[in-house]
C-alpha cells in the first residue's frame, strides 16, 4: 500500500468515527458502537501509517482479526435483538387493535 493510501485510510476512519458520533444522538446505540469501531480502526491504521509498526502481521494481525470478529458479533447481536423486539412490538400492537 502506498504512503498516501495509508494516511488516507487513517483520516477516513477518523472522519467516519466523528460522523457516527454525531449521528449517534439520533440513531442511538448502534451509531455509538460503530463510532467506537471506527476509532479503533483509525488508531490501528494510524499505528501503521505514522508509527511504521507491522500491525497486520503476526500476533498483532491475529489480535486485529479477533477484535473485528468481536465487533461483528456484537453488532449482529444488537441487530438481531432489535429485530426480535420490533416483531414482538408489532405483534402486541396488532393484538391491541383487535380488542
Amino acid at each position: 500500500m502506498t504512503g498516501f493510501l495509508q494516511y488516507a485510510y487513517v483520516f477516513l476512519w477518523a472522519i467516519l468515527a466523528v460522523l457516527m458520533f454525531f449521528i449517534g444522538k439520533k440513531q442511538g446505540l448502534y451509531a455509538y458502537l460503530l463510532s467506537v469501531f471506527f476509532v479503533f480502526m483509525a488508531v490501528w491504521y494510524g499505528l501503521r501509517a505514522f508509527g511504521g509498526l507491522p500491525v497486520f502481521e503476526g500476533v498483532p494481525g491475529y489480535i486485529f482479526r479477533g477484535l473485528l470478529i468481536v465487533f461483528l458479533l456484537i453488532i449482529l447481536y444488537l441487530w438481531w435483538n432489535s429485530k426480535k423486539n420490533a416483531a414482538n412490538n408489532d405483534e402486541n400492537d396488532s393484538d391491541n387493535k383487535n380488542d
Side-chain angles (χ1 to χ4, degrees):
M1 187 177 341
T2 65
F4 173 76
L5 282 179
Q6 288 181 8
Y7 299 127
Y9 278 127
V10 172
F11 292 115
L12 171 77
W13 294 123
I15 290 168
L16 286 172
V18 171
L19 178 67
M20 292 307 291
F21 180 77
F22 287 118
I23 290 175
K25 294 177 183 177
K26 184 177 179 183
Q27 297 296 323
L29 181 62
Y30 293 115
Y32 289 127
L33 182 63
L34 284 173
S35 179
V36 170
F37 172 71
F38 290 141
V39 166
F40 164 73
M41 294 293 284
V43 169
W44 202 267
Y45 275 81
L47 288 173
R48 180 178 182 193
F50 299 115
L53 299 174
V55 294
F56 296 111
E57 301 166 4
V59 174
Y62 293 124
I63 293 171
F64 176 74
R65 290 180 192 112
L67 290 172
L68 287 180
I69 290 170
V70 168
F71 272 112
L72 176 67
L73 292 175
I74 291 170
I75 290 170
L76 285 175
Y77 173 75
L78 291 174
W79 174 79
W80 177 75
N81 199 18
S82 71
K83 291 294 182 182
K84 188 172 80 171
N85 288 340
N88 287 341
N89 288 340
D90 288 344
E91 184 179 300
N92 290 339
D93 289 342
S94 65
D95 289 342
N96 290 338
K97 288 179 182 178
N98 290 336
D99 291 338

